[in-house]
Amino acid sequence: MSPYRERYHKKLDDLVNLTEELASQVNSAIEKASTSLQEADVELAKEVIKQDQNMDDLSQKIENLCMELLALQQPMAKDLRRVIGILKIGIDLERIGDLAVDVARVTTQSKDKIHITKLEYIPRMAEINRKMLTQTMEALQNGDADLARQVTKWDYEIDGLYVKARDKILKLIIEKPDVINEATALIVVNRHMERIGDHICNICEAIVYMVEAKREHLN
Amino acid sequence: MVTSKIISNNLNLWYGEKHALKNISMEIPEKKITALIGPSGCGKSTFIRCLNRMNDLVANARVEGEVLYDNTNIYGGDVDVVELRKKIGMVFQKPNPFPMSIYDNVAYGPRIHGMSNVDKVVETSLKDAALWEEVSERLDQPALGLSGGQQQRLCIARTMAMKPDVILFDEPCSALDPISTGKIESLMESLKNDYTQVIVTHNMQQAARVSYCTAYFLLGELIEVGETKRIFENPKMKSTEDYITGRFG
């Protein structure tokens, strides 16, 4: 194989490595954002907000490499699916990062005022999201479409937790109308956690496409 | 509904002892562009030359199997080969205009076949080959004075003057720059509603751009054939995938 093709294949591998790096940062941002909210830890929340630039830069780097490969190498077949898949995954990861940063901003703005009720659902959703993301990256690394499909099953649990959390907060608003501002912020945070699960499902769909060239709606 | 213009059934070809085509069975869709791809020596040019019996001109070539053109086996005993090549024309890798004027190059075939209104045929053919505007004022000039890209379009005009059904292109752009290549590809696009076209190309991007259907050949065998979009997005055979992604060899 020519050195040009070897460099091309290395860049295709780089795409996966960069995506895993971004996913790892995003995973840590979810954890820190959830913990900062739970413990009203403004410093930890600021760390997440600071981390946003790194995640954006990494996402841009992935997009640039995809563009370079499309323009200079004209990838075909599984290589083409990999580039297109990673391009989509990069966008979803960047959006998850933004949602985590938004949660961290709520911490900096509300501190412990948001603790109008026990935050039992948010940490649980964050934990499931992180587990899903870890397994999703495993599926990407190993080209395992079945694992990607399995991961999306967890999203039902997240959706269920979100509905419970929302109903609980709505009930609280009716009982104590003066907590409306904090309650609304809390609903937004719960919604963000639920949306993160949806983005992970999108990533799983991209992996199934990359591996099997099938377009499946998994959530 | 896509119908087949040419059908190859268990086609085999030997050059002396060398088995160059092995049981090739495939259909060429009517009024579509079919691309043949594969590494050098895989048999794609040999196959395209079987479609209008150009291999008859190779002394030690032997063919078995059949090629149906409009349901008639062109290797049957009563086929008029000259008439066949009139209906199935060919454009070669290197432009090969005759050493005569632009006009005479296009008029050569119609004159030999006694066609009437040759002036009109020449004009229409040059227009259809997107060359008329560039040469209409100098039809009496030598064809060899044209650029490579113009010469290739002249050869296409010369083929079209015979009013063929099918045009076979054997690497028509390999000696051309990107601008001339673009003109040939535009020309193929403009012809696709009226002609069945088959192109042999080493340029996979060209195959992906211009064709409706792609066939991948390797070592004299047809490995895979299908809609171009599928072949380049999700080939079924690992060998096809290895070739089009550059992992072959």
Side-chain angles (χ1 to χ4, degrees), chain B residues 188-201:
Chain B
M188 293 180 77
E189 173 76 16
S190 70
L191 300 177
K192 75 177 183 189
N193 292 329
D194 299 314
Y195 299 87
T196 299
Q197 299 173 78
V198 186
I199 179 170
V200 167
T201 179

Side-chain angles (χ1 to χ4, degrees), chain B residues 63 86 149 160 210 214 239:
Chain B
V63 175
K86 194 175 145 191
M160 287 165 66
V210 306
T214 295
S239 166

Side-chain angles (χ1 to χ4, degrees), chain A residues 206-217:
Chain A
I207 292 170
V208 169
Y209 172 69
M210 287 162 71
V211 178
E212 296 181 355
K214 289 179 189 160
R215 289 188 173 85
E216 291 180 11
H217 291 290

Side-chain angles (χ1 to χ4, degrees), chain B residues 42-58:
Chain B
C42 69
K44 56 194 185 300
S45 287
T46 297
F47 177 71
I48 203 175
R49 288 203 304 266
C50 285
L51 302 183
N52 68 350
R53 289 186 53 174
M54 290 293 279
N55 286 319
D56 289 12
L57 306 171
V58 181

Side-chain angles (χ1 to χ4, degrees), chain A residues 1 5 8-9 12 74 76-79 81 209 213 215, chain B residues 204-205 208 231-235 241 244-247 249:
Chain A
M1 197 182 292
R5 296 310 281 181
Y8 161 56
H9 293 144
L12 284 170
Q74 295 93 41
M76 296 286 189
K78 66 180 179 187
D79 295 345
R81 298 201 304 274
Y209 172 69
R215 289 188 173 85
Chain B
M204 277 181 288
Q205 278 68 43
I231 294 281
F232 284 97
E233 194 179 322
N234 184 28
E241 180 143 272
I244 64 176
T245 58
R247 287 174 174 81

